[in-house]
Amino acid sequence: MAGEDLPGADEVIDHLDDLYRSDSSRARLRMEINAEFGERRLEMESWTRGTDYALVVIRAPAREAGTATLRTDEGLWNYAPRADRLMRIPSGLLSDSWMGSHFTNDDLMRETSYREDYESALEWDELDGERHLKVVMTPRPDAPVVFTRIDFYLTAQGWTPVRTEYFEGANRVRTMTFSDVREVSNRAVPHTMELRPEDRPEEFTRVEYIELDLEADVDQDLFTRRGLRRVARP
Amino acid sequence: MIFKLSLRNIFRNHWRSGLTIGGIAIATALLIWLAAFMDGMAHLMVRGTTAVEIGQVQIHDPQYAERAGVHHHFAVDDAFLDEVSAVEGVTGATPRVHLFGLVGHEETSQITRIVGVEPEREAGVTIIGEAVIEGRWLSAQPAAEMDPREAVLGYTLASLLEVEVGDELAVFLQAADGSLGNDLLRIVGIVRSGNIPIDRQRVYMHLEDAQFLGALDARVHEVATRRPHQNGHLRRRSRRASRRPGWRHPRSPDQLVLRRLRPGHDPLRRRRGLHLHGDRLLRAHSLCLDPRRGLATHDRDLHRRRPVRRHPRDQRRSYRPQRGPLGPPMTLEHRYA
């Protein structure tokens, strides 16, 4: 079956890069974090515009409400509502945990791009007895990425992601599984993503989209200091 | 017979024998001097670090010694501190909170180790308050409710962040309950200790402020104590102790961790008792010493790291807290002695 009717790599990578992106989008999400300190639930609201602008604001619980992460073409910032200050996140911390979850700053804010930062190769593979399209991504030289390989498993039809495995060297370090696929703006978009680190298999972070609007009208002004304050402060 | 022959041989040619004996004597003397110098330097570094940073004995939650996590904390009240202070030989005890977080402003930020201290008690254990080179040490009481929190920064950290006394910084961190703490800090002082982890990564705050930020209601990560210096003694005891079941060295040859502390048992002295709670861990803490590395990294102190599209994994490595080797804190050490 290998080598038969493989789609074009560029087409598949663009599909993956743009799956959760659109000209402008708005979403409400729930994040459940199970880690060594116990269990936490966050509710968040996010806006994106193009590939360069993104804003995530935590809405609940109250202690963290208003905490935000802003990405623009100039960089990445965290907003501390108590201090009412923005703090730049150096690109070296892109691979660090986002707000204590198993997701990294890069997972959430997508500073890197599959197309620009990775070389990709396609093949057909079996996953749970079904034929899936497997995309093996290896970083281009000098790409600001942490993983040495990413394996995406996509459905044979529609290329909807099912599972992603992240490698450091020869070791798989974490696995993301996608589920709850729903149709949004004529795209099949998984609404739940669960990330498990391999070294602590009992821990996980699950993100669910409560609402996802890929055709929302989002004002460019939102991605400024003033716009952020307007939506982040109660 | 051989002995006689050897003696005759030695005395037959005085110049040859004299030069050989002299050469051996000078080489031996040099080796002894070098060993003494290295030992002295190592000793000085240990004394400097215990004086400036860690104190001679620390009390932690048992899990904290395995992995210094923000959620391994324990409750401390004045009665407990008085009890520790009352132990013979202990001249001071201070509670501390250790948090890891991002401190910065709109232009840049750095990963830091935030230490919450009680300024007055801290002065009874370490001399970090005397290492202030600009501004002042933390005031006796935390700032008023609505004001920014007081903070004292290591001087390399201040230079990396390009801030000075009077500037404001935001802090972001994961609290002990997993939630996110954030606050506004005002820099009141800058310390320079010669100890790289302090100068490069340390932010000192009031204990209460750090407890609020880290969601640690009246709980701490550490009680550090000061007692007369006895490193050589401690090291010998530590080496012997490590061979017994239940005692172990987790990180360095100079560190002694007691898994279970029996009431009335003093790990440092054979006959006198340290009356502490049995479930607490008493840690006689010192350093992993590597003078060469310590001195080499000292010179890189002011090197500014600018993240310009380097591999994030490598960048992260350069921001990681360094363990073990420290620069020689000579000046402060002499003041302490």
Side-chain angles (χ1 to χ4, degrees):
Chain A
M1 82 185 167
E4 286 171 29
D5 313 323
L6 275 171
D10 287 351
E11 212 180 333
V12 176
I13 301 311
D14 285 348
H15 173 78
L16 279 179
D17 260 335
D18 295 337
L19 189 64
Y20 291 96
R21 283 176 185 166
S22 62
D23 288 343
S24 55
S25 75
R26 195 190 78 86
R28 284 205 306 125
L29 308 101
R30 187 180 299 125
M31 181 180 265
E32 190 184 330
I33 306 165
N34 262 274
E36 54 182 335
F37 48 75
E39 195 183 305
R40 288 172 64 218
R41 266 165 186 268
L42 298 175
E43 288 203 8
M44 309 176 301
E45 199 169 354
S46 84
W47 296 264
T48 65
R49 205 178 146 93
T51 52
D52 286 335
Y53 297 89
L55 172 65
V56 180
V57 180
I58 297 178
R59 293 295 188 207
R63 182 177 146 89
E64 285 141 285
T67 306
T69 304
L70 169 71
R71 185 187 147 207
T72 73
D73 52 354
E74 288 173 21
L76 190 66
W77 287 268
N78 271 358
Y79 174 70
R82 215 180 123 75
D84 190 21
R85 292 285 190 283
L86 283 169
M87 185 196 292
R88 184 191 275 272
I89 309 298
S91 59
L93 300 182
L94 272 182
S95 59
D96 271 35
S97 156
W98 183 82
M99 307 280 179
S101 69
H102 296 100
F103 282 78
T104 63
N105 284 311
D106 193 31
D107 287 330
L108 236 83
M109 304 312 283
R110 290 299 311 278
E111 182 86 5
T112 56
S113 141
Y114 296 134
R115 175 151 196 173
E116 284 172 21
D117 295 317
Y118 294 89
E119 306 261 10
S120 302
L122 303 187
E123 57 187 80
W124 293 112
D125 201 353
E126 289 266 333
L127 182 69
D128 304 326
E130 277 186 48
R131 190 169 85 137
H132 281 81
L133 185 61
K134 183 177 173 183
V135 187
V136 179
M137 297 187 186
T138 43
R140 294 183 196 274
D142 300 329
V145 296
V146 171
F147 303 107
T148 50
R149 195 178 104 205
I150 303 178
D151 288 0
F152 262 96
Y153 290 89
L154 315 176
T155 53
Q157 299 296 320
W159 309 332
T160 308
V162 176
R163 191 160 89 188
T164 314
E165 297 175 344
Y166 298 83
F167 293 80
E168 273 186 26
N171 302 324
R172 189 170 65 189
V173 289
R174 57 178 212 171
T175 303
M176 178 127 75
T177 41
F178 299 81
S179 55
D180 188 19
V181 181
R182 290 187 227 163
E183 189 89 3
V184 180
S185 304
N186 298 323
R187 300 181 208 178
V189 182
H191 275 52
T192 302
M193 285 150 285
E194 189 177 290
L195 189 64
R196 280 184 190 269
E198 293 292 323
D199 55 341
R200 284 157 293 161
E202 68 288 352
E203 295 186 10
F204 66 89
T205 296
R206 185 183 298 129
V207 171
E208 290 169 55
Y209 281 91
I210 305 167
E211 278 175 34
L212 176 62
D213 182 355
L214 294 173
E215 289 163 11
D217 186 18
V218 179
D219 188 4
Q220 177 69 40
D221 195 40
L222 187 67
F223 306 98
T224 60
R225 200 180 291 122
R226 200 178 61 237
L228 182 151
R229 276 203 183 103
R230 198 177 65 228
V231 290
R233 292 175 77 77
Chain B
M1 178 70 180
I2 285 184
F3 185 65
K4 253 187 185 173
L5 265 174
S6 313
L7 272 182
R8 264 195 222 153
N9 194 26
I10 288 172
F11 289 111
R12 188 157 294 149
N13 188 332
H14 289 198
W15 271 107
R16 183 193 63 193
S17 304
L19 277 172
T20 311
I21 292 167
I24 293 170
I26 290 169
T28 312
L30 272 174
L31 280 174
I32 293 170
W33 178 83
L34 191 70
F37 178 79
M38 297 298 283
D39 205 37
M41 196 160 77
H43 191 63
L44 193 67
M45 286 165 71
V46 172
R47 288 193 67 167
T49 306
T50 48
V52 179
E53 188 184 9
I54 59 180
Q56 276 80 27
V57 177
Q58 297 174 325
I59 301 164
H60 296 278
D61 178 270
Q63 288 174 301
Y64 191 92
E66 301 289 330
R67 190 158 161 252
V70 68
H71 41 276
H72 300 317
H73 42 68
F74 60 98
V76 155
D77 52 18
D78 285 346
F80 177 75
L81 293 172
D82 291 345
E83 200 181 347
V84 175
S85 304
V87 174
E88 192 177 340
V90 173
T91 55
T94 184
R96 291 180 187 154
V97 160
H98 290 275
L99 304 167
F100 293 91
L102 267 180
V103 168
H105 46 79
E106 281 190 34
E107 300 303 320
T108 186
S109 58
Q110 292 281 322
I111 291 181
T112 59
R113 184 177 189 133
I114 296 157
V115 182
V117 295
E118 276 187 14
E120 282 179 8
R121 283 192 190 269
E122 189 67 26
V125 175
T126 66
I127 50 170
I128 188 66
E130 294 175 34
V132 174
I133 53 165
E134 270 177 60
R136 58 171 173 82
W137 181 237
L138 299 167
S139 53
Q141 294 300 319
E145 185 74 24
M146 297 308 288
D147 291 344
R149 309 289 90 199
E150 285 189 351
V152 172
L153 265 65
Y155 93 106
T156 316
L157 177 65
S159 99
L160 288 168
L161 290 171
E162 297 175 3
V163 288
E164 50 193 41
V165 172
D167 287 350
E168 288 181 343
L169 289 171
V171 56
F172 236 106
L173 51 79
Q174 190 172 14
D177 60 356
S179 67
L180 299 162
N182 73 87
D183 218 330
L184 186 62
L185 308 178
R186 175 167 294 141
I187 305 167
V188 295
I190 289 170
V191 286
R192 182 174 186 167
S193 67
N195 177 329
I196 293 169
I198 291 181
D199 292 345
R200 177 171 285 166
Q201 280 162 337
R202 197 62 49 86
V203 176
Y204 289 96
M205 291 176 70
H206 279 276
L207 185 74
E208 283 175 38
D209 291 342
Q211 283 171 331
F212 179 80
L213 191 60
L216 289 156
D217 188 20
R219 297 178 78 84
V220 301
H221 295 114
E222 170 180 290
V223 172
T225 68
R226 175 164 157 185
R227 51 181 290 143
H229 193 78
Q230 44 183 210
N231 260 315
H233 171 61
L234 173 60
R235 207 177 304 169
R236 284 192 298 279
R237 296 272 297 138
S238 163
R239 256 182 226 135
R240 280 202 298 272
S242 68
R243 291 195 278 271
R244 291 182 213 149
W247 299 53
R248 14 182 274 131
H249 288 285
R251 285 186 197 141
S252 79
D254 282 337
Q255 189 182 47
L256 166 69
V257 170
L258 287 96
R259 300 286 301 156
R260 276 172 229 93
L261 184 68
R262 295 192 297 280
H265 173 71
D266 182 346
L268 306 182
R269 286 188 180 193
R270 220 166 277 183
R271 294 198 183 98
R272 296 200 176 86
L274 254 180
H275 300 280
L276 296 174
H277 300 300
D279 59 344
R280 297 273 160 66
L281 182 89
L282 182 87
R283 182 150 74 139
H285 195 147
S286 196
L287 295 169
C288 170
L289 291 169
D290 181 347
R292 249 178 335 154
R293 214 177 129 204
L295 291 169
T297 47
H298 190 64
D299 288 336
R300 295 207 307 268
D301 231 14
L302 273 169
H303 175 67
R304 288 176 182 213
R305 291 169 200 281
R306 287 270 171 259
V308 267
R309 229 168 150 76
R310 275 169 63 200
H311 195 294
R313 192 174 41 204
D314 296 339
Q315 282 184 23
R316 200 167 49 158
R317 193 167 298 140
S318 69
Y319 288 108
R320 259 185 202 156
Q322 293 179 357
R323 271 204 198 121
L326 304 171
M330 307 290 182
T331 335
L332 285 164
E333 153 65 17
H334 286 307
R335 242 188 282 170
Y336 180 62

